[in-house]
Amino acid sequence: MGGYEGADHVNSYGLPLDMGQATGHSERVEQDHRSAAIAGIAVVRESIGWRLSESGTGAIDLRRALRTARSAHAHGLQVIWTLMHYGTPPDLSLFDDTLCERLARFATRVANALQPWHVGTPVFNVVNEIGFTAWAATSSNLMHPYLGSGDPAVAQAAGYAVKQRLVRATLAAMDAIRQVDGTAARFVQVEPIIHVVPPCDRPDLQDAAQQAIAHQWQVWDMLAGWLEPQLGGCANALDVIGLNHYHGGQWEQGSDERLLWHRRDSRRRPLRDLLGDAWQRYRRPMILAETSHVGDGRTAWFNEVAGDALRVRAEGVPLQGVCLYPLIDRPDWENPGHWHRSGLWDVGAATATASETDAVMSPAASSADTADRSGRLARTLYRPYAQALHRWQAQLLADATDSKGPLMHLIVFSHLRWGFVYQRPQHLMSRLSRDYKVVFIEEPVATDGEPCLDRSAQGPNLDALVPRTRAVAPGFNDEQMPQIQALLQDYLAREGITDYVVWLYTPLALPMLQSLTPKALVYDCMDELSAFLHAPAQLREREARLLATADLVLTGGPALFEAKRAANPNVHCVPSSVEAEHFAPAGLDADGFEAQEAARLQQQIAHPRFGFFGVIDERFDLALLDALAGAEPDWQFVLAGPVVKIDQATLPRRANIHWLGMQSYARLPHLLAGWDVCLMPFAINEATRFISPTKTLEYLAGEKPVVSTPVRDVAVLYGSAVQIAPAGPAFTDACRDALASAAQFEWADTPHGQAAAELLSASSWDRSAARVHRLIEAAVISSAHADAQPHADMLAADAEAALADPLQAFVLRAAPLSYARGAVDVKQTDP
């Protein structure tokens, strides 16, 4: 489901709001409904706006509502109609006893007007968020006129009186609608769900926090007749429970400090528990009536919400739908110039067309007229959010129609966090989750409370778990193992997980196998971790044991393949690949949110720009960057990525060096589009001896010239498309040549560009993940039947498939060459 912002109250500055007009939805309703239908949205929330529809002179104007109703009917959308979205007619106060009679009269007019236009069952939300409205009008300054008091007790009493009056008005309006639509009409009673805790140093506020939590039930209890029965509440008034869930809905009592979702505050309660509370209390059908987040975080938030929604449904909670709210981005009530960036569509100068929406949301849908490209209110699809929605919709469909039975689980132990730089683990696991239920276990973090597992959905069939333990040793240290093992065993028993493969990204997690019985053990050796700065002493010994026992070993490049192939009979080179369409300039939305943020970050940086994105650690040649920037003061160097393991004070600081910090995967293509040359200034040392940088193909997909130091795998795999030179004057000369080439020629016309096109056509993460899936299946069979012929057949088929891929064919044929013995001859690097 999806909703459109419809608040129509008077804000704290005395300015009357019309959010339908502010977002352009009232003008573009047909376009918005058509886009929603293409996106697979079947139900929408629409606000009629009592204040907007009734002037105070007795006249009621429903022309806007009727246009909305006709549009929804034409596009096959069922509507949940909100009559009062905070605002009242200008002659009416929230403390006016005639409010009940007036709202009932308005409801009668609305029900009669809409009756011919319903798609399916008529559904109404009479008053949106009675509890929030009462609080906002009496204990905050969000609504004008402010009805509260400086005395919290007086304000609370005033708010409670407003709740009672709005409940009576809602019950009267429901009766009026039933007089028109009979028993066919359904009603959604929408309120926020919250969680409140005392500050860590104020246990004396525990009772007050519990009382604040209890307030969230008051409105529903009144409607059901459990509380203040003189209002007329009854069982059938509490028809469908609508719960609104936002990141700001959990806070500290007294301080009002929010329990920050993006910082994974351990005191937060997961959505599934909040939904469970409402179900246990009321035993009524429920919808998640509003949920969203802002900026980059909206995709991760949606993944978490969708995962919890499916989980509670599997547990028997009758959650009937999830409403993304808003579908179209909204400006702030108090600061109309500030847009939240919380929609499926951003608002601004747009380049996305309706046919592009078709391609992202529903590949089978027909093409359509282009969206309005002019004006400040045109819509721009936020693609990461849309792609996540499409994946979850596909998962729902698969769950409803698939008869293959439950998927095997893939339990992954990783030294890299899911929310860190988006790279090989994220690419592979997000794709393997189509064939497995992936449980991605990160390194533990410390807690003062009870040990627990933080669980967050990162996509359909993909959960990230973070162990919170009382051990102080970092990472998968032996001190951590007993607590993590106990937490994991409890999790596996609770989830009924018995059929699984274990996948290790770090040998340090090998002791976890003591309490596990996997169908197969996979080791994805993406780096030579023992060569990294601060590597634990036991890493080499533990990796040797892992290589000896693993059923399948994957390496991130040919250098690692050559180094590990003798240690295990089933080692396969699976070089890091690319989502070429993600980085291709032709696919970028030049006016979307990510493009605007990238432009803001670089607006003060002149050209030419030499760019790098990725982790900045001991593998990065800081001396080379400093010398390059000093030798060419007119060149600008843009570095986007987290600085880890090295002291920030060691970073070179010059006027032409710009440190942007870590940036989202969605933003990287837009940063790259603003660069002239891409750099890979890696130090040539033990830490880089076996690296195979994912960014190489990503740079090439962005159609930019690339200059790299002579990293072995870069030279061997991509030497035909990348200019390679050692640190020093030769590297500066290579940068100068790359810049001149970019200025004189179209990328596709250069030898490097032509070579890049061939490499990109032969490489994709989808293809790599499909190959890994075949290898896992073979390993499972081999583990169960050591002499099974199917295993040999599958390996033969994999080798044949790999040889059909030009890049893989080169890797396999080059593997016997002992190029790892010395430095790569940069003149002999073309495959």
Side-chain angles (χ1 to χ4, degrees), residues 44 258 309 326 337 463 471 506 527 539 556 567 569 573 597 676 745 786 792 814:
V44 294
R258 290 306 187 254
D463 283 351
T506 170
D527 285 305
L539 208 155
C573 183
E597 287 299 293
D676 299 289
F745 304 103

Side-chain angles (χ1 to χ4, degrees), residues 559-574:
L560 279 170
F561 177 77
E562 179 69 15
K564 310 298 181 186
R565 63 188 307 224
N568 187 289
N570 195 21
V571 182
H572 296 261
C573 183
V574 183

Side-chain angles (χ1 to χ4, degrees), residues 16 41 46 61 81 117 149 181 210 252 261-262 281 312 324 372 425 461 537 571 592 622 679 788 812 822 830-831:
I41 301 294
E46 291 280 7
D61 184 354
W81 294 99
W117 301 107
S149 164
D181 289 318
Q210 289 300 314
E252 280 187 349
W261 169 78
H262 67 280
R281 188 178 184 90
V312 298
L324 305 186
D372 182 6
N461 296 327
V571 182
L622 296 174
L679 298 180
L812 291 173
D830 188 339

Side-chain angles (χ1 to χ4, degrees), residues 363-394:
S366 60
S367 62
D369 298 333
T370 59
D372 182 6
R373 291 173 178 269
S374 62
R376 63 185 178 85
L377 297 177
R379 281 77 168 100
T380 303
L381 186 70
Y382 184 64
R383 295 181 183 280
Y385 198 0
Q387 289 162 348
L389 173 60
H390 187 56
R391 286 194 296 270
W392 282 103
Q393 289 169 329

Side-chain angles (χ1 to χ4, degrees), residues 136-477:
T138 60
S139 296
S140 80
N141 197 29
L142 287 175
M143 293 185 183
H144 180 83
Y146 176 52
L147 304 176
S149 164
D151 185 336
V154 173
Q156 186 171 336
Y160 192 74
V162 170
K163 285 183 183 180
Q164 294 183 76
R165 186 169 286 102
L166 289 176
V167 165
R168 279 200 290 119
T170 295
L171 294 168
M174 290 170 65
D175 287 340
I177 291 170
R178 286 188 175 120
Q179 291 296 316
V180 177
D181 289 318
T183 58
R186 301 295 300 271
F187 297 91
V188 182
Q189 311 295 359
V190 177
E191 295 292 319
I193 47 175
I194 65 169
H195 180 56
V196 186
V197 300
C200 296
D201 59 349
R202 293 292 307 277
D204 58 299
L205 292 179
Q206 178 64 44
D207 289 346
Q210 289 300 314
Q211 186 178 34
I213 293 172
H215 287 167
Q216 73 182 317
W217 310 121
Q218 287 180 343
V219 170
W220 288 316
D221 286 358
M222 290 178 187
L223 287 165
W226 301 353
L227 180 66
E228 309 292 354
Q230 75 278 4
L231 300 176
C234 58
N236 69 353
L238 202 60
D239 186 5
V240 178
I241 303 289
L243 305 108
N244 291 352
H245 175 57
Y246 292 103
H247 68 284
Q250 304 196 32
W251 65 87
E252 280 187 349
Q253 178 68 24
S255 72
D256 289 336
E257 291 291 327
R258 290 306 187 254
L259 310 184
L260 296 177
W261 169 78
H262 67 280
R263 293 186 180 173
R264 316 308 296 181
D265 192 309
S266 61
R267 298 171 295 170
R268 288 183 64 90
R269 290 194 74 204
L271 171 61
R272 58 186 177 275
D273 290 349
L274 301 178
L275 294 172
D277 290 347
W279 165 239
Q280 292 299 327
R281 188 178 184 90
Y282 298 110
R283 295 283 170 164
R284 296 299 303 158
M286 302 189 306
I287 63 170
L288 198 57
E290 294 182 20
T291 192
S292 68
H293 199 55
V294 296
D296 294 346
R298 60 189 125 167
T299 305
W301 174 268
F302 173 62
N303 282 330
E304 185 170 305
V305 165
D308 275 3
L310 291 190
R311 196 166 293 122
V312 298
R313 281 174 58 87
E315 294 169 355
V317 176
L319 186 68
Q320 303 298 319
V322 174
C323 182
L324 305 186
Y325 194 98
L327 285 178
I328 306 298
D329 190 27
R330 58 184 167 197
D332 192 77
W333 295 344
E334 299 294 286
N335 179 11
H338 171 66
W339 289 75
H340 288 185
R341 298 298 184 191
S342 59
L344 188 58
W345 283 271
D346 287 328
V347 174
T351 59
T353 66
S355 58
E356 288 175 322
T357 304
D358 291 349
V360 173
M361 302 306 309
S362 178
S366 60
S367 62
D369 298 333
T370 59
D372 182 6
R373 291 173 178 269
S374 62
R376 63 185 178 85
L377 297 177
R379 281 77 168 100
T380 303
L381 186 70
Y382 184 64
R383 295 181 183 280
Y385 198 0
Q387 289 162 348
L389 173 60
H390 187 56
R391 286 194 296 270
W392 282 103
Q393 289 169 329
Q395 181 62 42
L396 282 168
L397 182 62
D399 288 348
T401 61
D402 192 8
S403 60
K404 293 188 299 184
L407 297 177
M408 183 181 291
H409 281 74
L410 195 60
I411 300 176
V412 182
F413 294 92
S414 175
H415 60 294
L416 298 172
R417 301 206 178 275
W418 187 268
F420 192 53
V421 175
Y422 201 89
Q423 52 189 305
R424 181 185 180 92
Q426 291 88 342
H427 280 296
L428 282 177
M429 293 307 147
S430 62
R431 287 162 174 81
L432 288 173
S433 66
R434 301 165 188 167
D435 300 295
Y436 305 89
K437 289 185 179 294
V438 177
V439 180
F440 188 90
I441 303 173
E442 301 179 10
E443 290 185 337
V445 296
T447 181
D448 294 330
E450 287 298 313
C452 63
L453 281 176
D454 278 353
R455 176 179 182 176
S456 62
Q458 302 298 334
N461 296 327
L462 176 52
D463 283 351
L465 302 184
V466 180
R468 291 186 177 271
T469 73
R470 290 175 173 172
V472 296
F476 289 108
N477 188 281

